[in-house]
Amino acid sequence: MNDPSHDPPGDDRRDGMFSARAGQPVGRRRIAPRAEETSDVRRFRGVLWAAVAAGLAVLVAMVVTIDPATERTPGPLSKSHQAAATCASCHVDDQPPAARCGSCHEPHPSTRPGHRRLAGAGALVCTSCHPAHAGHGGVAFTPSGTVWRFGPGAQEEVEGLRVVPKPAAEKRVPIVAVERCGRCHDPQAKDDPIAACLLGDQRELGGARPTVCFDEHRAFGGVAFSRGEGVYARSRLWAAAREVAGVAPVAPHAPAKPQSAGWWLGVAALAAVAAWGLARGVAWLLRRRQRSLAPRPAAAQPPKIRRLPQIDTTTCIGCHACVDACPYDVLEVRSFVAVVVRPDDCCGLTLCEQRCPNGSLVITDGEPIEDRPRVDAALQSLDTPGLYVAGDLTGLPLIRNAINQGALAARAAAASLRAEGAAAVGTDAAPLVDLVVVGSGPAGLSASLAAAEAGLRTVTLEQGSVAESIRSFPRGKLVFDQPLGLPLEGDLWLREATKEELLGQWRRIIRARRLPIEEGARVTAVRAAGGPTPRFEVRAETPSGSRRWIARRVILALGRRGTPRKLELAIPEAVSDRVHYSLADARSFAGRKVLVVGLGDVAMEAAIALARQPGTTVTVSYRGREFRRGKGRNIEHVQRLAAAGRIELRLGTEVERIDEGMIVLRAAEGLVQVPWDAMLVMIGSLAPWGFLEAAGVARARVGAGIVPVG
Amino acid sequence: MTDPWALLWSTPVLRGLDEAARRTVAAAARVRTLTAGQLVFGEHDPADAFYVVIEGAVELRAQRRGDEQRSVLRTAAPGDTFGEEALGDGGGRRGQAVAREPTRVAELPAALVLRGAGRSGGAPLAERELRRLRRQATADLLRTMAATRALDEAELDRVLDAVQSRAVARGTAIYASGDPPDGLWLVVDGLVQLQTEDDDRIHVRAYLTRGDGFGDDEALAGEARGCTAVAMGETRLLLLPAALLRSLVDRNPGLLDRIRRIAADRQAVQSQAVGAAAARSTQHVFKDLYRMQMARSLLVIDQDTCVRCGHCAWTCEALYGTSRLVRRGDKILTALSTPARGGAASGSLRSLMLPNSCQHCKNPVCMIDCPTGAIGRDPEGEVFIRDSLCTGCGNCAKACPWENIRMAPRPGGARAGRADDPMTSLSAELATKCDLCRGYEAPGCVQACPTGSIVRLDPARDVAEVAAVLGPASEGPGARKTSRGWLHGALRGLGVAAGLGLGITALRLQQVGAWKPGVGPGLDAGVVAAVGVLALVSYAAPKRIVGLWMRRRRPRSAARRLAEAAEGRGAGSRETSPRSQVRGWLSLHLVLGMITMAAVLGHAGLRLPSNPAGSLALAFWTVSALGVLGALGYRLIPRRLARLERRGDLPEDLVAERKALLDRLFMQASGRDELVKAIASRVLVPYARAVLGPLALLASGRRLADEEARLHAMIDAMREGRGQGRLAGLDALVRTAVELRALPLRRGLTALLRGWLPLHIVVSAVVVALLGLHVVVMLGGP
């Protein structure tokens, strides 16, 4: 069949779908996924509050700033109506407002026959030419000689007229704009009668152009005058009004009320943002409070007594919860009941106990543990004050624990330094620093980070490179995050990640925080100097020669893996570069013959990784006659590979001699020769007790009593 | 009639149970009375119980490999057991069991019997009996398999003695290329993939399912394995050791021909289906065929129309307190088949996302793993969790291969139980998963989708490619009923047309002054607009008040459901294509929006005076603009966005994605050839970091795969044919680089899809407030 090739499985497990590359089981997980509150669910939290707040805010802003009565009017009244008229004066029920003009004004019909005809037919009423709210006002002459050009809701004084009439009482001449005449007249046409009413130079005003035929209602020279004034006085007023129409053709308008749509909507927006923020903030506070109320698991203390899980088989439901919680595969489920299968590997943490759903598993106390440093609750040595121990050395080999302990020790050191006060600066040859961290594994890094945060002058000395013990994990190995039990201190992020992801994150942190880490500096001695306050002399071999520091505090974060246990036989100089103590990248051994010595977890994982490489011949030599320790899945995997012929298992053998081409193994039935290109010696590591004791950290011994936890 | 339990406890397999185990088994067991010809179970039914005949007789019938018809395998008499396949690792029934005469049988849940036997004091005895029963099941199975069906009893006994049963976990290699041959493998249940691997790629040679055999060539020739066999899911196999196989072949020369003929047929079908799918996309269904094989009701979201609003997950959360649906998952590109076209693939390729939501497996691994039996399955195949029995141990959540079960705090919190019986306490946590809203008439997520993008489907029936490879699994109505898409399209089109027409007319009338806000038709338009605004705002009700359309299912008695299921009707009552309820309301909202805009134009024209009425107009037009833009975005963006993503992600996932992708880029380059590193640093990194790159990608309209091809062509042109053999690992780097370039687009487009709606809602509230004020003032209020 043709080749439906799959995409490469990618290093990222989130990339694409499940990859079926052989030997990468993706079946059961050890950690139950938790329900998450995704942004889909959170998205509209607080939006309802924001909406309500915005609506209310805009309402309040408007109700406070506007007067509803004025809102209903289409505009201000012109000067002549302002004093007397209310809305009800003109707007009565459904009658047209023009019908009410007669209540104040006497009838004074138009002088023009055409207009009269229209008025008679009801097509021309007062408001046709004189709209009350949006009219063009007129000119007012006062007895004092002031002339006002007025419009709806406003007036302005007109000065510099050639003739200024001074009537006995105030007189007004209304002005009508030409747009009012547009229904019948064409202002553009020369022969239209209205052309005579327009001033010549105001074409650009368009519809607002004032008409100056003021004889609409009273003929200029006729007999219609009934009261008081003479023709002369009126013609003076008209002439003056005509002049005003020329000077101020457009009626002034009342300025817009100080209302701003933008302002109101801005208030609404502010209220919305505030309400949204408040709702989210309150929810966040509530959540935080709930979290802080939840019992926090205590920071892990190194166990002082051997402890073992005990299982009530009558109530155990065989759910694997404890099995999955255990980092060391101490437990297994057999016949639907959990059993302790590897008691020696038990770390004494109560992860399994916490995980058991129905209390069938409890941790019981056993005998005291011997190999652990005498330290107090803050990890300070009980024998040498100022000296701290963190990480695997304390007897709890978990990466996460190491991170926590490093931070704990550094904070304790910082606190005691604060209590002690400032100190002088040392010499160039032996600079005085606040803190020397020995080792840059998870514990050392975490300590350096915490020290940097506390503002300590710190030096971190690392004999190899950063996190070497983790770097020597086989490529791609999953670094399991434990399901619960240990709160995580500091930023050295750790979830279910591969070794590369973890290292990448650490490198980023070191770069970003500029942590002072001296790589390649092998500490040769840490010596406590006498005196009222703790002082330590730290000596180290660096690539540039030996160096010396005077330190006020020292954190030993050496780890146990630091010095691998070596074979008890001489390795010829010629082949020493073919003997390795860790496996960094199995791919570099592809196609070669490799002998793995040892059958612990590290050795098994290395053998499995090597067996996966094309063309690699893997032989495993182990002293024991059977699998003695290690994780269940590793043993199973190795056995399967051995059955398939990918790994040659030589149990009950020891390395006798190493030659150029052959390694000789001693077995019960005689000597065996194994051809080799490379040898991996993985028979555990030695705890650096000699170094520790020289520095002043004593070992707790059986019968030495249990140190009370402060 | 005698007490059936006396007979039952004396059957060999149950004799070893202790008192506690008997109590549990008796509580869960069921005695069924059958008439002649009645089905006890049908083929492919879930096998979680086995049966003991109390009186009468039951015939087992199965279709032997290569036959067209079912034939009788054996007849079970009183005291006999049948359906023993349940004692294995579950899986479906391999044949049907029919009562030959009026019969009574006891149905015993296999998991409880196994558990009881394992924990009882008489375990060794039970173990022996269980072995016997499994041998019986294996014999029944071998009688149907191509390789062994024609063997006589003596030969079959020899095979049964030598055959080894093996359960293999998902992703585990059964054998790897280069391994010594161990024999002929027969697939009992599950899915096996034969593949060869090189540095970058996996080349799949065949997919093997129930009844298929593989590995016979090498076993007979004694050569090392030429390819790797990987179990794609929990798989059970039988191994016929090589020596046995050889002697079998010597005695039965026709045996091999039969196996190979069937294998050749299967390969022909597969190469056609798989080849076609692989040629057009890398996101094809075969990447996780096991999931397709297992799923009975797979939730898929059509990414081409999904507007990423997350209303599905929100609805789930509103119903159950925690969302059982996480809108994140793998994506496949496939065509759905419709029964109307005879199961042929129809229509264009759809970009379907498979989010985290229970797919109701045919062989649910969670159910097998549950230690308290809290996970059940009703006759319609829906898998559900009984909250009261859940201890929160998380076993099922760890077992589900797709993380579709999640641990969540128990609603109402923990409750301490009686001291004497810890089982009465309720744990603080419990496992949650989708149960298809079994208390309601249809799943909430499907009904809540405003675009009708969520579909529940049975891949073996609805995805043509899966059906072609695996064979149609079950009959039944297709999930894809006649879509109402055209109706919504027509409605919305009409709405837009009406809105535009009315709007333009009204605006014109306003502008010439024929319509005024306060009088006549202008005022009427204002009233229409006000009513329209209120109606538009009330869209929030169907959107957010789930109870308006989530109708509770009419409670039916369990007996009635069982009876209906037995008659094959039960499934129909609930599966009649659940439709989106919100979609109709959204269409209405859109149409109303257009008409209201027209009405506002008729009432007030385009004037925006600086007064309260003007503010109302301004707010209204803001809401309208947001709504129109949102609607356009909903229409245009998803299709483009679907082309830019390899999987479905949530916006918060995308935030961290850039760093992860950059890390991946550098990790993929490490350890590669210098040439590849040079290409990565000189071409791929600048390509991925180009500021305007994403915009260029958007403008080009290319899919990710097209973009990859373009990039490859670019690199090839730069290489001018040099270093051809040193490019291992380049494919992966190019993929990552292209994803990096697409990432800002994905974030931006998702933000566009999701950002406008909260604003739309808030400004709507302002509009309603201002509208109220406007009406009060104009009516001459205070």
Side-chain angles (χ1 to χ4, degrees), chain A residues 1 3 6-8 14 20-22 28-29 33-36 39-40 43 259 316-317 319 324 508, chain B residues 115 119 180 195 197-198 200 202 205 282 309 327-328 395 397-398 400 407 429 610 649 652 663 754:
Chain A
M1 76 190 270
D3 238 14
H6 277 178
D7 292 308
R14 283 187 57 230
R21 200 150 262 251
R28 204 169 175 283
R29 282 172 302 275
R34 299 196 53 80
E36 25 178 339
S39 60
D40 284 352
R43 224 181 129 192
Q259 299 168 343
C316 171
I317 55 174
C319 66
D324 292 327
R508 265 195 299 276
Chain B
R115 177 172 287 273
R119 299 174 62 120
Q195 62 189 35
E197 297 170 17
D198 59 29
D200 282 351
I202 292 172
R205 304 295 169 189
T282 52
C309 65
R327 220 172 35 79
R328 172 199 294 139
N395 210 27
K398 292 170 192 163
C400 175
M407 305 306 294
E429 287 209 318
S610 182
D649 278 312
E652 60 262 40
D663 274 2
R754 286 163 71 105

Side-chain angles (χ1 to χ4, degrees), chain B residues 16-40:
Chain B
L17 298 185
D18 63 10
E19 204 42 53
R22 284 186 186 195
R23 247 198 340 263
T24 341
V25 172
R30 203 154 67 88
V31 175
R32 288 173 62 184
T33 308
L34 306 154
T35 55
Q38 195 178 342
L39 213 57
V40 186

Side-chain angles (χ1 to χ4, degrees), chain A residues 459-587:
Chain A
V459 174
T460 304
L461 305 173
E462 166 61 52
Q463 62 171 339
S465 54
V466 169
E468 201 164 64
S469 58
I470 292 179
R471 198 180 303 243
S472 65
F473 282 9
R475 182 185 169 89
K477 174 174 170 163
L478 279 181
V479 183
F480 274 109
D481 187 9
Q482 289 318 311
L484 82 166
L486 298 177
L488 188 55
E489 305 271 353
D491 291 336
L492 295 178
W493 151 103
L494 188 68
R495 56 176 169 116
E496 191 174 309
T498 61
K499 158 197 151 187
E500 285 80 7
E501 285 170 323
L502 195 63
L503 281 174
Q505 173 76 4
W506 288 0
R507 271 196 294 269
R508 265 195 299 276
I509 288 178
I510 292 168
R511 235 191 355 254
R513 309 281 178 87
R514 300 211 174 87
L515 291 187
I517 296 179
E518 304 246 352
E519 288 186 325
R522 197 168 60 80
V523 175
T524 51
V526 174
R527 204 153 48 79
T533 54
R535 283 283 184 284
F536 298 89
E537 184 189 358
V538 181
R539 287 173 182 277
E541 295 292 333
T542 65
S544 55
S546 52
R547 291 178 59 187
R548 213 157 69 85
W549 289 268
I550 303 294
R552 301 169 69 193
R553 298 288 182 273
V554 172
I555 294 178
L556 298 175
L558 307 172
R560 281 177 192 254
R561 288 168 183 257
T563 46
R565 194 189 293 269
K566 308 225 160 136
L567 286 177
E568 287 167 0
L569 79 168
I571 295 169
E573 194 62 32
V575 297
S576 63
D577 59 336
R578 284 156 61 189
V579 179
H580 308 272
Y581 294 92
S582 68
L583 175 68
D585 189 353
R587 292 195 299 203

Side-chain angles (χ1 to χ4, degrees), chain A residues 232-254:
Chain A
Y232 176 69
R234 192 174 305 119
S235 68
R236 269 174 63 98
L237 288 180
W238 287 356
R242 189 185 171 95
E243 199 184 344
V244 170
V247 178
V250 179
H253 265 265

Side-chain angles (χ1 to χ4, degrees), chain A residues 1-45 47-48 50-52 54-56 58-59 62-63 66 68-69 71-72 257 259-262 264-265 268 272 312-322 324-325 335-337 355 357-358 475 498 500-501 504-505 508 587 640 643-646, chain B residues 114-115 118-119 170-173 177 179-180 193 195 197-207 228 230 232 267 271 274-275 278 282 284 286-288 309-310 313-314 317 323 326-328 330-332 369 371-372 391 393-395 397-401 403 405-409 429 544 610-612 615 618 647 649-652 657 659 663-664 667-668 670 735 739 754 757-758 761-762 765-766 769-770 773 777-778 780-782:
Chain A
M1 76 190 270
N2 54 9
D3 238 14
S5 301
H6 277 178
D7 292 308
D11 296 297
D12 186 346
R13 276 160 293 121
R14 283 187 57 230
D15 174 38
M17 293 197 175
F18 139 74
S19 103
R21 200 150 262 251
Q24 294 183 353
V26 288
R28 204 169 175 283
R29 282 172 302 275
R30 299 193 63 169
I31 300 172
R34 299 196 53 80
E36 25 178 339
E37 199 175 64
T38 60
S39 60
D40 284 352
V41 172
R42 290 192 309 259
R43 224 181 129 192
F44 289 105
R45 298 231 170 118
V47 170
L48 180 64
V52 169
L56 288 180
V58 80
L59 272 188
M62 280 195 179
V63 168
I66 63 170
E71 286 310 313
R72 283 195 293 276
K257 275 182 287 181
Q259 299 168 343
S260 161
W264 291 320
L265 296 179
D312 182 350
T313 51
T314 58
T315 55
C316 171
I317 55 174
C319 66
H320 287 86
C322 52
D324 292 327
S335 286
F336 304 98
V337 170
R355 255 315 184 190
N358 63 358
R475 182 185 169 89
T498 61
E500 285 80 7
E501 285 170 323
Q505 173 76 4
R508 265 195 299 276
R587 292 195 299 203
R640 204 169 46 238
R646 312 280 288 187
Chain B
L114 283 175
R115 177 172 287 273
R119 299 174 62 120
R170 172 171 160 90
T172 315
S177 176
D179 284 356
Q193 176 173 308
Q195 62 189 35
E197 297 170 17
D198 59 29
D199 201 28
D200 282 351
R201 279 169 180 272
I202 292 172
H203 306 273
V204 178
R205 304 295 169 189
Y207 299 100
T228 302
V230 179
M232 299 295 284
Q267 291 241 331
S271 59
V274 181
T282 52
H284 47 67
F286 301 105
K287 291 201 80 171
D288 196 355
C309 65
W314 179 85
E317 199 253 4
S323 178
V326 177
R327 220 172 35 79
R328 172 199 294 139
D330 297 327
K331 221 179 82 170
I332 56 172
D369 270 10
T372 60
T391 59
C393 69
N395 210 27
K398 292 170 192 163
C400 175
E403 298 197 14
I405 302 184
R406 306 282 185 125
M407 305 306 294
E429 287 209 318
R544 299 306 270 192
S610 182
N611 60 19
S615 300
L618 185 63
R647 41 171 288 131
D649 278 312
L650 290 163
E652 60 262 40
E657 187 76 356
K659 208 171 73 176
D663 274 2
R664 200 165 93 198
M667 216 148 72
Q668 283 167 337
S670 83
R735 275 169 65 89
E739 274 182 51
R754 286 163 71 105
L757 189 49
I761 292 170
V762 170
V766 174
L770 289 178
L773 190 71
V777 166
M778 291 309 155

Side-chain angles (χ1 to χ4, degrees), chain B residues 289-300:
Chain B
L289 187 58
Y290 177 63
R291 186 170 189 178
M292 301 293 146
Q293 185 197 29
M294 269 295 129
R296 200 193 65 85
S297 177
L298 182 67
L299 184 118
V300 299

Side-chain angles (χ1 to χ4, degrees), chain A residues 216-516:
Chain A
E216 177 66 32
H217 300 289
R218 296 177 186 182
F220 185 70
V223 290
F225 298 165
S226 52
R227 274 181 292 175
E229 293 166 39
V231 176
Y232 176 69
R234 192 174 305 119
S235 68
R236 269 174 63 98
L237 288 180
W238 287 356
R242 189 185 171 95
E243 199 184 344
V244 170
V247 178
V250 179
H253 265 265
K257 275 182 287 181
Q259 299 168 343
S260 161
W263 185 76
W264 291 320
L265 296 179
V267 168
L270 271 182
V273 169
W276 183 82
L278 196 69
R280 289 268 171 141
V282 167
W284 179 78
L285 277 177
L286 284 179
R287 258 205 315 280
R288 210 180 67 156
R289 191 150 153 257
Q290 213 166 24
R291 259 206 307 275
S292 68
L293 284 180
R296 274 175 70 98
Q301 287 295 327
K304 300 178 175 74
I305 342 169
R306 190 168 294 292
R307 309 169 82 188
L308 269 185
Q310 219 167 42
I311 296 144
D312 182 350
T313 51
T314 58
T315 55
C316 171
I317 55 174
C319 66
H320 287 86
C322 52
V323 176
D324 292 327
C326 179
Y328 299 108
D329 290 3
V330 171
L331 296 149
E332 259 179 32
V333 166
R334 288 187 183 160
S335 286
F336 304 98
V337 170
V339 285
V340 179
V341 291
R342 263 180 287 277
D344 290 350
D345 291 349
C346 180
C347 66
L349 278 183
T350 57
L351 301 172
C352 46
E353 192 183 51
Q354 291 171 39
R355 255 315 184 190
C356 182
N358 63 358
S360 304
L361 185 151
V362 285
I363 298 269
T364 53
D365 291 349
E367 64 206 58
I369 301 171
E370 191 178 341
D371 266 1
R372 85 197 147 71
R374 274 166 44 82
V375 291
D376 65 10
L379 301 170
Q380 186 169 204
S381 166
L382 289 168
D383 306 294
T384 315
L387 191 61
Y388 296 79
V389 183
D392 286 7
L393 273 178
T394 61
L396 194 57
L398 295 171
I399 295 177
R400 199 167 179 163
N401 174 61
I403 290 175
N404 287 347
Q405 287 193 342
L408 177 70
R411 287 200 197 110
S416 72
L417 281 174
R418 263 198 304 280
E420 193 180 299
V425 182
T427 60
D428 277 353
L432 179 82
V433 292
D434 291 331
L435 178 66
V436 167
V437 179
V438 183
S440 68
L445 272 183
S446 169
S448 310
L449 256 179
E453 272 164 19
L456 302 186
R457 276 170 297 162
T458 313
V459 174
T460 304
L461 305 173
E462 166 61 52
Q463 62 171 339
S465 54
V466 169
E468 201 164 64
S469 58
I470 292 179
R471 198 180 303 243
S472 65
F473 282 9
R475 182 185 169 89
K477 174 174 170 163
L478 279 181
V479 183
F480 274 109
D481 187 9
Q482 289 318 311
L484 82 166
L486 298 177
L488 188 55
E489 305 271 353
D491 291 336
L492 295 178
W493 151 103
L494 188 68
R495 56 176 169 116
E496 191 174 309
T498 61
K499 158 197 151 187
E500 285 80 7
E501 285 170 323
L502 195 63
L503 281 174
Q505 173 76 4
W506 288 0
R507 271 196 294 269
R508 265 195 299 276
I509 288 178
I510 292 168
R511 235 191 355 254
R513 309 281 178 87
R514 300 211 174 87
L515 291 187

